[in-house]
Amino acid sequence: MLLALFQPDIPQNLGAAIRLGACMEVPVHVIEPCGFPLSDKAIRRAALDYGDPGEVVRHAGWSEFVAATGTSRIVLFSTKAAHPLHDFAFRPDDALLFGRESLGVPDEVHEAADARVFIPLSPGRRSLNVTVSAAIGLSEALRQTGQFPKALAR
């Protein structure tokens, strides 16, 4: 399982996604270019104290990401999808893809995805924050595949 962000616009959302990935033991793939300068130092700053334990993989563009994911099924989360999240069967090696905060993903990426799902919202509501969507989608995928991290006794 991996979490992928397509050309993120907002560094704080990337930081939250890196923290999410670190806490759930899931690598975060960043498909560039981003809407802000991205360096290793910027990643560490955006991730606060979760930058080191989190695995971040950078890709120069869409084609590099596709080549790197190999046989993983790309599952795009989109408000334009027809399949609701709760009716979708996730697989352990899925790549969960989330679009830009401002524009989503271009048609070529939408069409290239192996599956497209949406998170049902109340009528009249447009969308959720991308990292909130990633947390909801990743949680459901981890739940279905039995890949949640094992909790430590307190």
Side-chain angles (χ1 to χ4, degrees), residues 5-138:
L5 300 179
F6 182 85
Q7 300 179 354
D9 292 326
I10 302 170
Q12 293 85 348
N13 284 339
L14 175 58
I18 292 169
R19 292 190 298 277
L20 173 64
C23 289
M24 296 293 124
E25 299 176 353
V26 172
V28 175
H29 289 239
V30 181
I31 303 163
E32 298 184 48
C34 297
F36 51 90
L38 185 63
S39 64
D40 291 339
K41 182 179 179 182
I43 288 172
R44 284 191 305 277
R45 184 174 48 246
L48 300 173
D49 59 341
Y50 288 92
D52 289 336
E55 180 184 347
V56 179
V57 181
R58 294 171 60 181
H59 302 281
W62 172 247
S63 58
E64 183 181 305
F65 170 74
V66 171
T69 56
T71 60
S72 292
R73 181 174 64 164
I74 298 173
V75 180
L76 174 64
F77 283 72
S78 172
T79 58
K80 298 175 185 173
H83 202 89
L85 165 75
H86 57 276
D87 285 340
F88 186 76
F90 289 94
R91 299 179 190 161
D93 66 337
D94 281 342
L96 308 183
L97 176 62
F98 296 83
R100 295 180 78 162
E101 294 89 343
S102 61
L103 300 171
V105 298
D107 290 342
E108 82 172 76
V109 173
H110 202 277
E111 292 165 11
D114 298 300
R116 289 165 282 300
V117 301
F118 70 93
I119 299 168
L121 303 176
S122 295
R125 303 297 180 219
R126 220 170 20 116
S127 64
L128 294 165
N129 171 281
V130 69
T131 309
V132 170
S133 296
I136 291 169
L138 181 60

